[in-house]
Every structure is written in structure tokens, then in C-alpha cells.
């Protein structure tokens, strides 16, 4: 109802189904909008919106900006690098404050806003004697149905009849994050763990939807008994079993998939099963709403702690694993460096999973933090690294930043914040980094994007944007040096705020 009100939809005396229908239509209309603005971008602070307006980067629609970007780079269209890059920023803002934010809100409406909970992470969550089903990709819809299907008493009984001790669901990548955040389903790993999970020899079925799914998965699975099941009409992979997900038949499909996994259990070869190590406990579920609630309903205590210097600032570490970087090294090293310097870390995506595996998503990890941050974490009983969700949930970080900025009456670009994508890999990570920068958040990348062919582009992204959004990109592969850059930027913004 709160979000329907934001869209100007009448609520009083109406059935919730009717409100939901109007809200869904209102949200869908934003993708090809001709009204020159996005509703949820109104959540941005006034000063930030004025900057967007001044430089012509206010997102006017979601798909509309993407289509225009494709047109601009067609032969003989936009030849001005500044013009192209400003439009790239507008396109990314349509993602962050539009598509991603809508996805987060819709997932919360359908499945509930995440609340803090504890669960487990790493390949050790796979079971030696249960039917292991790995849920991988980015879409919470089918996987939420599979969670329901796995509770079906008949299927539970069937799993026992087939010689197992039950059904064990685990997550992978951002489908895994969605399930971890809302249902506490253990998470087996991030993107570079997908083949390793199969190589434990213990996975009966890997169910994938879309994004970040290696096309090599069926080849890896063919060395073991694992069945790979694709479910999205737009993401088919040769060598997999295809079970199309449709909203009307979702539960039936989910039950079929669980049954298929159970039927595959007798094919597991116990001599080839190697599940490494023990799972690591994690605390997740930090939606923006729950962080605010933990602070007593307002960001004032956080602002007071920042003003007092107890917490210097906050950095969002996001993004993938990259084959050129030792898995998780960038995320974990950077997070440890930042918390040591009294900088609160919020995370999403594979970065959050990396820190979960490393034990940083636990209140006890506050012992690794500087004294100011440690005291705040101990007082609130929270970890110094907060798991805020999947990659689309970077929109939660934007909302948090907007709320803090609104409370102070400044723009996001004035806040002592930073962003980092130490091991970014997917195209989406670049969009995320760009909407962070376009929103005013200085962002350090651990892998150089393919822009080094143009000094003009480099200078604009690394320097020129400071005069526009008071933020910029930096590239620094060494996570300790990246922490130095982020701390320096936070100090610069603190000084400008006179704190
Ligand atoms: S962080 Fe990157 S690799 Fe991981 S799920 Fe998100 S987009 Fe995919």
C-alpha cells in the first residue's frame, strides 16, 4: 500500500488485488514511459535530482534509455564522447532507480521484506545423505516455489523411500541470496563455485533461471550424475533438461523438479562424493527497512555516530568473482581493511557471499573492526558487514543513502560514502557501478573496464564527473590501496560537511 501510494494509486476501501493490479500496470508502464520521469527516482534527494536535471541525465524510462543507447552507438549517430557517457549514466539510473528498484519492491511485496536471520554458507552446506538441489541464477519466483514444493509431505516421503534422509535445498549466486535473505536457505557459494558444487559429486539437480549461469555447466555435470535444469524461455542451454517456468503452473513445475532430483539420488556414487569443510554461520536479511528499524526507526543514530567519527562512513562492496582474481580475495581483503578503519560495509551479490564464507557476516566479526565501529556493532548486535541482498537489491543501498541524505538535507554526493566492485565480471556490475557514480557515490573497480583506449573517456570518468555528481570512477586492483582511495574520499566528503 505504501508503494501504491507513491504511484498515486487510490487505496482506501479497495481490495488488495485491485490495488496490486493497478500498481503492477503502473510499474510496467515505466519501462517504456513517455512521461519523462520514473516514479521511484522521486525517492532521490532534491539536490541529487537537481544535478540530474541540470546535466540532462534524469532517467525518462527504463527500456527507453536502453533503446536510445543502442541507437546512439549505431553508425553515424552520437559522435561526442561526453554526450554518449552522460546518456550511459542516464541509462544506468533507469536501472538503479527504476528496473532494479521495482524488482526489489515487487519481490518484497510477493515474498516479504527480508528480516535479519542466521543461516550457513559455503560448499559445506551440501548434504552427504540428503537429496541436494542447488538453486542458481537471479529470479526468486521459481525458487520460492521450489522451497514450497520441498515441504510437500509426499515428496519428503518419496525422498526417504529412495534411500536419502530428506531434501536439502541450497542457493547459489543471487537466486541463492534471495532465498537466504527471506527464508534462511543456506548458500553454497558465489559465481565461481557453480562448477565446484557439481564437482563435490553430491548434487542431484542444479536448477538455473538466468544470468551468471556458465554455459559449461552441462559439460561439467556430464562428468557426474548431476542433472541441470533450465527454466527460462530466454536462457536455454544445450545439454540441460528444460522445464519452463510459468506463473500459473509454478508449483506443479517445482514439484516435478524436486521429484526429478529425488529420482536421481540413487545414481549418486558415494565414492566420488567430496564435500569440503564445514559451513560458516552467517547473519543476513538486512533490508533497508530492517536497518532503519534496528536504529530505532530513524537514521539519526547512524548520522550521530558518523558525525562523532565513531563510524567514518559507509562503503557498498558489490559484484562478482572474476577469473583473473583469486576467488573472494578482493572482496574479503577490502571489507576487512574498511571495517578496521571504522567504515561500515554493506554488501550484495557475490561480494556478500564471499564475506559470508569468510565469517565477516557475523556479529563476532566486529572484533576485526576499529573501536568506533566495533562499539556500534556490539551495541546493536549486528555484523560490521551487512548483507543487503542480491544484485538488484543494490537499490536498497540507494534508498538507504537517499534517506540519510534527506535527513541531512544534502545530496547523495555530499555523503561520506563509497562503492567498490573489486571482482566485477558481469555487464550488470558496470551498470551498478555507473548508477552509483551517477547518484554521487565514488566507486573503485578492481578490474579495468575496456576504456583505456581513450584518454578523453578515462579523464572524464576518473576526474571530470567530480564536477558533475561529486563522484568518479577509480580502478585499483590492490584491495588495500582501494581501501586507501575510499578512505581518502570519505575524509574529503567529511571535511566538506565540516565533520
Ligand atoms: S554479483 Fe555478479 S556474478 Fe554474482 S550473481 Fe551478481 S551479477 Fe552474477
Amino acid at each position: 500500500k505504501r508503494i501504491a501510494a507513491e504511484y498515486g494509486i487510490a487505496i482506501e476501501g479497495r481490495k488488495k488485488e485491485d490495488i496490486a493490479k493497478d500498481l503492477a500496470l503502473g510499474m510496467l508502464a515505466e519501462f517504456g514511459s513517455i512521461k519523462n520521469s520514473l516514479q521511484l527516482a522521486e525517492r532521490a534527494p532534491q539536490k541529487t535530482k537537481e544535478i540530474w536535471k541540470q546535466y540532462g541525465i534524469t532517467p525518462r524510462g527504463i527500456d527507453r534509455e536502453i533503446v536510445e543507447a543502442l541507437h546512439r552507438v549505431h553508425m553515424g549517430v552520437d559522435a561526442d564522447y561526453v554526450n554518449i557517457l552522460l546518456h550511459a549514466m542516464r541509462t544506468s539510473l533507469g536501472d538503479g532507480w527504476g528496473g532494479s528498484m521495482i524488482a526489489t519492491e515487487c519481490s518484497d511485496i510477493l515474498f516479504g521484506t527480508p528480516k535479519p536471520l542466521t543461516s550457513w554458507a559455503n560448499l559445506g552446506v551440501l548434504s552427504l545423505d540428503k537429496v541436494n538441489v542447488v538453486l542458481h541464477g537471479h529470479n526468486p519466483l521459481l525458487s520460492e516455489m521450489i522451497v514450497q514444493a520441498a515441504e510437500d509431505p509426499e515428496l519428503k516421503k518419496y525422498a526417504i523411500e529412495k534411500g536419502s534422509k530428506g531434501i536439502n535445498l541450497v542457493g547459489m549466486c543471487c537466486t541463492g541470496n534471495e532465498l537466504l535473505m527471506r527464508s534462511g536457505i543456506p548458500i553454497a557459494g558465489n559465481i565461481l563455485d557453480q562448477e565446484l558444487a557439481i564437482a563435490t559429486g553430491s548434487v542431484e539437480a542444479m536448477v538455473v533461471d538466468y544470468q551468471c549461469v556458465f554455459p559449461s555447466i552441462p559439460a561439467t555435470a556430464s562428468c557426474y550424475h548431476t542433472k541441470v535444469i533450465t527454466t527460462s524461455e530466454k536462457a536455454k542451454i544445450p545439454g540441460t533438461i528444460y522445464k519452463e517456468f510459468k506463473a500459473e503452473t509454478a508449483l506443479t513445475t517445482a514439484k516435478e523438479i524436486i521429484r526429478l532430483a529425488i529420482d536421481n539420488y540413487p545414481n549418486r556414487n558415494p565414492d566420488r562424493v567430496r564435500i569440503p569443510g564445514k559451513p560458516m554461520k552467517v547473519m543476513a536479511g538486512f533490508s533497508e527497512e530492517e536497518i532503519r528499524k534496528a536504529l530505532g526507526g530513524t537514521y539519526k543514530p547512524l548520522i550521530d555516530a558518523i558525525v562523532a567519527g565513531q563510524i567514518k562512513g559507509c562503503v557498498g562492496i558489490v559484484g562478482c568473482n572474476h577469473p583473473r582474481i583469486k576467488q573472494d580475495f578482493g572482496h574479503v581483503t577490502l571489507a576487512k581493511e574498511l571495517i578496521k578503519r571504522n567504515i561500515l560495509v554493506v554488501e550484495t551479490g557475490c561480494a556478500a557471499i564471499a564475506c559470508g564464507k569468510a565469517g565477516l557476516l557475523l556479529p563476532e566479526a566486529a572484533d576485526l573492526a576499529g573501536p568506533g565501529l566495533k562499539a556500534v556493532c556490539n551495541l546493536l548486535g549486528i555484523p560490521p558487514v551487512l548483507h543487503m541482498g542480491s544484485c538488484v537489491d543494490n537499490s536498497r543501498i540507494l534508498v538507504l543513502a537517499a534517506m540519510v541524505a534527506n535527513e541531512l538535507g544534502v545530496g547523495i554526493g555530499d555523503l561520506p560514502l563509497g562503492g567498490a566492485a573489486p571482482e566485477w565480471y558481469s555487464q550488470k556490475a558496470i551498470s551498478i557501478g555507473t548508477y552509483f557514480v551517477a547518484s554521487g557515490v565514488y566507486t573503485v573497480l578492481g578490474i579495468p573496464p575496456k576504456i583505456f583506449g581513450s584518454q578523453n573517456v578515462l579523464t572524464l570518468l576518473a576526474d571530470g564527473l567530480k564536477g558533475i555528481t561529486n563522484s568518479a570512477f577509480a580502478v585499483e586492483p590492490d584491495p588495500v590501496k582501494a581501501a586507501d582511495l575510499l578512505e581518502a574520499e570519505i575524509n574529503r566528503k567529511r571535511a566538506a560537511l565540516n565533520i
Side-chain angles (χ1 to χ4, degrees):
K1 284 184 181 172
R2 171 177 58 81
I3 297 163
E6 277 185 84
Y7 274 80
I9 292 163
I11 295 164
E12 286 314 312
R14 298 185 68 203
K15 284 200 290 184
K16 69 176 192 287
E17 289 77 8
D18 294 338
I19 299 171
K21 187 175 174 196
D22 286 352
L23 178 58
L25 290 173
M27 285 174 157
L28 284 170
E30 306 255 53
F31 283 80
S33 173
I34 53 163
K35 64 184 166 68
N36 288 329
S37 64
L38 294 176
Q39 185 55 48
L40 297 184
E42 288 303 315
R43 293 173 173 181
Q46 193 54 34
K47 186 173 171 190
T48 305
K49 286 188 286 192
E50 277 163 15
I51 292 167
W52 294 347
K53 194 168 168 206
Q54 187 184 347
Y55 290 95
I57 58 172
T58 303
R60 301 160 300 174
I62 302 164
D63 290 350
R64 176 179 172 183
E65 305 300 9
I66 298 167
V67 172
E68 184 170 318
L70 291 171
H71 183 210
R72 281 171 183 247
V73 295
H74 182 275
M75 183 180 75
V77 186
D78 200 348
D80 181 335
Y81 74 97
V82 176
N83 209 36
I84 292 176
L85 290 173
L86 284 176
H87 182 71
M89 293 175 83
R90 176 160 58 181
T91 308
S92 72
L93 288 170
D95 176 9
W97 295 87
S100 287
M101 206 169 277
I102 287 175
T104 295
E105 295 293 8
C106 286
S107 300
D108 285 357
I109 291 168
L110 288 170
F111 305 118
T113 302
K115 294 184 172 48
L117 46 72
T118 53
S119 184
W120 302 93
N122 78 28
L123 292 174
V125 301
L126 292 164
S127 171
L128 275 174
D129 48 20
K130 290 184 180 168
V131 176
N132 288 315
V133 180
V134 179
L135 303 164
H136 173 28
H138 279 77
N139 187 340
L141 295 176
L142 175 68
S143 43
E144 286 284 348
M145 288 297 133
I146 290 187
V147 172
Q148 281 186 34
E151 287 303 313
D152 183 284
E154 258 180 46
L155 286 171
K156 281 180 162 175
K157 192 165 148 250
Y158 188 52
I160 307 275
E161 283 165 13
K162 285 283 180 180
S164 78
K165 295 242 167 79
I167 303 164
N168 182 43
L169 298 183
V170 302
M172 177 77 60
C173 280
C174 280
T175 290
N177 275 329
E178 299 276 2
L179 295 170
L180 170 69
M181 290 285 285
R182 294 198 181 81
S183 313
I185 301 288
I187 190 146
N190 39 12
I191 182 166
L192 288 188
D193 284 319
Q194 56 191 291
E195 288 176 306
L196 300 179
I198 293 173
T200 64
S202 70
V203 175
E204 275 59 54
M206 180 172 275
V207 187
V208 304
D209 43 72
Y210 42 65
Q211 291 185 20
C212 311
V213 180
F214 290 169
S216 60
I217 281 290
T220 311
S222 70
C223 303
Y224 299 86
H225 73 300
T226 307
K227 305 270 188 219
V228 181
I229 298 147
T230 40
T231 56
S232 169
E233 174 269 328
K234 61 188 151 196
K236 296 185 179 176
I237 304 176
T240 62
I241 298 167
Y242 181 59
K243 294 263 177 202
E244 185 161 330
F245 168 74
K246 290 194 186 119
E248 313 79 50
T249 51
L251 191 56
T252 311
T253 308
K255 285 183 182 175
E256 280 171 22
I257 290 171
I258 294 284
R259 185 170 284 274
L260 195 148
I262 296 170
D263 282 335
N264 197 24
Y265 183 76
N267 297 326
R268 188 193 289 189
N269 178 352
D271 294 338
R272 295 192 70 198
V273 173
R274 300 274 184 280
I275 299 174
K278 290 206 170 8
M280 174 63 77
K281 197 171 179 187
V282 295
M283 189 174 190
F286 289 96
S287 55
E288 180 279 320
E289 291 85 340
E290 287 298 316
I291 293 175
R292 196 161 17 111
K293 204 191 279 176
L295 291 166
T298 149
Y299 283 106
K300 182 145 188 323
L302 177 65
I303 292 168
D304 289 346
I306 291 175
V307 171
Q310 226 183 341
I311 296 177
K312 263 194 201 156
C314 178
V315 168
I317 306 181
V318 305
C320 329
N321 295 132
H322 196 290
R324 275 193 241 145
I325 296 179
K326 183 180 164 197
Q327 187 179 4
D328 300 342
F329 172 76
H331 299 307
V332 173
T333 313
L334 179 60
K336 282 185 177 169
E337 273 301 316
L338 291 171
I339 62 173
K340 203 163 76 185
R341 302 172 193 210
N342 292 309
I343 295 169
L344 177 69
V345 172
V346 293
E347 294 195 329
T348 60
C350 289
I353 302 169
C355 286
K357 289 187 280 180
L360 295 179
L361 302 187
L362 288 170
E364 299 85 292
D367 288 341
L368 301 173
L373 177 59
K374 180 178 173 178
V376 173
C377 291
N378 286 344
L379 184 70
L380 299 172
I382 58 168
V385 180
L386 301 178
H387 189 339
M388 291 191 75
S390 64
C391 296
V392 294
D393 293 335
N394 283 310
S395 58
R396 298 190 199 277
I397 299 178
L398 293 181
V399 173
L400 193 157
M403 289 209 165
V404 173
N406 282 336
E407 201 139 337
L408 288 169
V410 298
I412 293 177
D414 298 315
L415 297 174
L417 302 179
E423 303 179 35
W424 74 271
Y425 187 13
S426 86
Q427 296 85 345
K428 185 171 54 177
I430 278 296
S431 171
I432 293 165
T434 309
Y435 70 64
F436 267 31
V437 171
S439 299
V441 181
Y442 173 80
T443 298
V444 183
L445 305 175
I447 296 277
K450 294 185 182 106
I451 56 170
F452 283 74
S454 164
Q455 190 57 46
N456 283 340
V457 169
L458 269 182
T459 307
L460 178 68
L461 295 181
D463 256 334
L465 294 177
K466 283 196 180 142
I468 299 176
T469 59
N470 198 20
S471 61
F473 276 110
V475 177
E476 178 48 69
D478 179 338
V480 177
K481 289 185 185 156
D484 293 342
L485 291 174
L486 288 157
E487 189 181 19
E489 178 70 3
I490 283 171
N491 285 338
R492 178 176 83 84
K493 295 207 170 162
R494 289 182 65 91
L497 285 170
N498 248 334
I499 56 174

